[in-house]
Amino acid sequence: MSATITVGLDGTDHSLAAADWAAAEATRRGTSLRLVHAWIWRPLEVSAVADEEVQRRWATEVLQDAAARVAKNFPDLPVTTEILRAETVPALLAEATAADLLVLGSRGHGTLVGYLLGSVGLQVLRQTSSPVVLVRSPRPDAAEQPRDEVVVGVQDGRESDPVLGFAFAAAAAQGVGLRAVRAWNIPPVLVWGGEAMRAADDAGGLEPLERKRLADAVRPWRERFPQVEVVEHVEMGGAGQVLLAGCARARLLVVGRRSPSRHDLRKIGAAAHAALHHAPCPVAVVPHP
């Protein structure tokens, strides 16, 4: 992959917030920044639509305004811009594959279930096999509070490795601590076999077993990133609820989702869904096998 962070822009305040976040992250990582806008002229859509030259000029201004904003705040950051002559979702999927990281604006926070469904960002998340960060513009009534942690949700087994790797690298780049969160519930009787019972007995109970599983998952990443201070948090409850409860000081929330296949293009997982709707910070969604 190229050493590039790419931002998909659509002219909204949320996409400008995404450009701001991505510019700061690119500066920390020492990468370049790429600003893109997908646009195709469709003369037969509706009679009220602006003519081709007006639409092209607007698309160009979207990129120019964002580039000028970034240049003012990050004058030494290499920035390129491009209008993508393609449908928005396929264009952004291609950008996600080519870049180190794709960053998009998100309307995010809402009380209505399914508020994001159908959005470009969610369609990209459902289909990409690359990490994507969703950023929304700060709420004007949001109280100022310290944001000095990267929070990551930890699942079972090797599937957490890509998610933990991304989270530790982000925490190291930003010079902040990392909070590793694991939610658990009492397993159903039908799946509570002898081996699982023995493991819980050996650990001293269900919660100590979950703490051991979290510690085992985090240990190799602690060794790889010794400069990152880590807090391990285990709590009984739903994954989304526990993650959001641990985000009071988060400047980035990292969640995993299964890499898309022919059978689950529509699924991003309950925890990721809750994070995208309600997290008070940018959300990184990292696919894993």
Side-chain angles (χ1 to χ4, degrees):
M1 293 189 296
S2 61
T4 303
I5 293 178
T6 297
V7 184
L9 297 166
D10 61 7
T12 65
D13 289 343
H14 303 297
S15 70
L16 289 176
D20 292 341
W21 186 92
E25 187 70 8
T27 300
R28 287 188 287 262
R29 294 188 182 197
T31 68
S32 62
L33 184 69
R34 175 171 161 82
L35 306 175
V36 301
H37 175 73
W39 172 76
I40 296 179
W41 166 238
R42 299 181 179 87
L44 300 179
E45 278 189 338
V46 292
S47 59
V49 75
D51 63 34
E52 181 178 4
E53 183 56 34
V54 171
Q55 288 193 33
R56 182 185 292 109
R57 186 163 57 248
W58 180 85
T60 301
E61 288 175 355
V62 166
L63 292 176
Q64 289 176 340
D65 291 348
R69 179 185 177 112
V70 168
K72 179 180 179 180
N73 296 320
F74 302 90
D76 298 326
L77 179 64
V79 180
T80 59
T81 64
E82 184 177 351
I83 294 177
L84 306 175
R85 307 284 183 169
E87 296 287 349
T88 304
V89 172
L92 291 176
L93 289 171
E95 291 294 321
T97 300
D100 285 339
L101 183 64
L102 177 67
V103 183
L104 302 175
S106 169
R107 292 177 298 173
H109 203 280
T111 57
L112 295 178
V113 174
Y115 184 72
L116 280 172
L117 296 181
S119 71
V120 167
L122 202 56
Q123 291 182 62
V124 171
L125 288 177
R126 287 167 171 166
Q127 299 178 55
T128 186
S129 295
S130 302
V132 179
V133 174
L134 277 293
V135 181
R136 66 173 178 271
S137 54
R139 295 171 58 189
D141 60 342
E144 287 294 328
Q145 53 186 325
R147 297 287 179 186
D148 54 6
E149 291 182 332
V150 169
V151 176
V152 57
V154 182
Q155 300 171 290
D156 285 320
R158 302 292 295 179
E159 64 188 28
S160 284
D161 279 349
V163 184
L164 283 167
F166 184 98
F168 269 86
Q174 298 183 28
V176 298
L178 181 138
R179 179 175 295 271
V181 177
R182 181 174 175 85
W184 69 281
N185 278 294
I186 297 174
V189 174
L190 291 177
V191 300
W192 189 238
E195 184 176 347
M197 292 178 65
R198 283 192 297 272
D201 288 341
D202 291 344
L206 284 173
E207 184 166 346
L209 176 61
E210 297 299 332
R211 293 187 182 281
K212 180 180 183 301
R213 287 173 172 170
L214 176 58
D216 290 344
V218 169
R219 184 176 298 109
W221 298 101
R222 281 181 177 271
E223 295 170 356
R224 192 172 301 183
F225 293 90
Q227 74 275 33
V228 175
E229 183 177 343
V230 180
V231 173
E232 297 177 11
H233 180 89
V234 173
E235 184 175 336
M236 185 177 180
Q241 177 186 11
V242 171
L243 269 179
L244 291 171
C247 284
R249 303 176 69 95
R251 64 167 56 188
L252 178 68
L253 172 59
V254 184
V255 295
R257 65 144 298 187
R258 292 186 185 277
S259 294
S261 71
R262 292 177 301 171
H263 305 294
D264 64 354
L265 288 181
R266 291 184 173 273
K267 298 178 182 179
I268 62 168
H273 194 272
L276 290 168
H277 281 73
H278 301 296
C281 60
V283 178
V285 181
V286 181
H288 57 74

